[in-house]
Amino acid sequence: RVEVFAATKPLGRSEAANQLLDMARSEFALFLDDDDWLLPDHIERLVQAHRSHPEVVAAYAGVECLRQKGQTLERVKLFDEPISRAQMQLRNGLPIHSTLLRLEVVQRAPTVRFNTALLYFEDWDFWLQLMDRGDFVRVPGVSAAYLISDSEGSGHEVSSARRREMLEIFGHFRLARW
């Protein structure tokens, strides 16, 4: 079943994600940006991992990062390794659509939410909050793709004052939580 929710005003990424978290009425949730995609077995593999590990708060699978080169897509990075809480403090190893989260854990008070002050790194901050609630389980193998753009909203710009500013804000939020 697919439901479409029309926002009454333009929303930023974090605001839209939070609104969807509030509206969701399922056991699990996954975010998917409009320029990324899932392979046919992605969700099934993650649900099976949750069923095999009912104690975890999230399950994640590998993601291939691609960049358009003329008419072809070129692999520039692969996210398909185990992650730990310690590693996640230093770098985000989870593209947003890699992970299927247990919605009940996110909605439990105090709720886990996306930080609306962050234009970039909002997913990294969200994963760290969720990791404070419990463990993630890895499902080895790639089952999703991430299209990286040097100029479009992915936060992967080669050099960007805005990106550095958001990283500094992110760092202040993380230090305050520690």
Side-chain angles (χ1 to χ4, degrees):
R1 188 176 95 203
V2 175
E3 292 184 49
V4 177
F5 298 99
T8 57
K9 63 177 182 148
L11 301 174
R13 286 173 54 90
S14 293
E15 290 175 301
N18 288 336
Q19 184 172 349
L20 290 171
L21 286 171
D22 290 337
M23 295 174 160
R25 301 289 175 256
S26 59
E27 185 176 357
F28 305 111
L30 180 139
F31 292 94
L32 179 64
D33 290 338
D34 61 352
D35 58 346
D36 301 329
W37 60 94
L38 308 177
L39 298 180
D41 63 344
H42 185 68
I43 293 174
E44 179 182 358
R45 290 171 7 109
L46 297 175
V47 169
Q48 287 174 354
H50 272 285
R51 298 286 184 243
S52 297
H53 302 276
E55 74 284 359
V56 302
V57 299
Y60 65 97
V63 174
E64 180 178 40
C65 297
L66 306 168
R67 179 174 280 128
Q68 186 87 38
K69 287 282 192 176
Q71 296 297 322
T72 63
L73 293 172
E74 172 184 277
R75 179 191 281 179
V76 293
K77 182 153 182 64
L78 183 65
F79 289 93
D80 192 24
E81 67 273 350
I83 58 159
S84 70
R85 283 184 178 94
Q87 290 169 321
M88 281 290 287
Q89 301 300 319
L90 302 174
R91 72 172 185 86
N92 184 4
L94 296 172
I96 196 156
H97 59 305
S98 68
T99 305
L100 185 72
L101 57 100
R102 194 174 300 280
L103 202 51
E104 174 273 322
V105 174
V106 171
Q107 294 173 337
R108 185 182 323 139
T111 58
V112 177
R113 289 293 177 260
F114 285 82
N115 186 334
T116 58
L118 295 172
L119 300 179
Y120 301 133
F121 314 120
E122 73 287 344
D123 54 338
W124 186 8
D125 181 68
F126 182 81
W127 298 139
L128 288 168
Q129 291 178 65
L130 193 56
M131 284 183 154
D132 289 342
R133 300 272 172 111
D135 293 327
F136 286 37
V137 65
R138 175 177 177 243
V139 179
V142 171
S143 56
Y146 185 140
L147 188 60
I148 292 181
S149 169
D150 292 332
S151 61
E152 302 287 328
S154 66
H156 290 276
E157 295 89 346
V158 174
S159 174
S160 164
R162 185 64 148 167
R163 185 175 191 272
R164 286 189 300 276
E165 176 188 349
M166 288 298 111
L167 189 56
E168 187 172 324
I169 292 170
F170 168 78
H172 288 295
F173 282 120
R174 291 311 308 162
L175 285 173
R177 286 190 182 117
W178 288 343

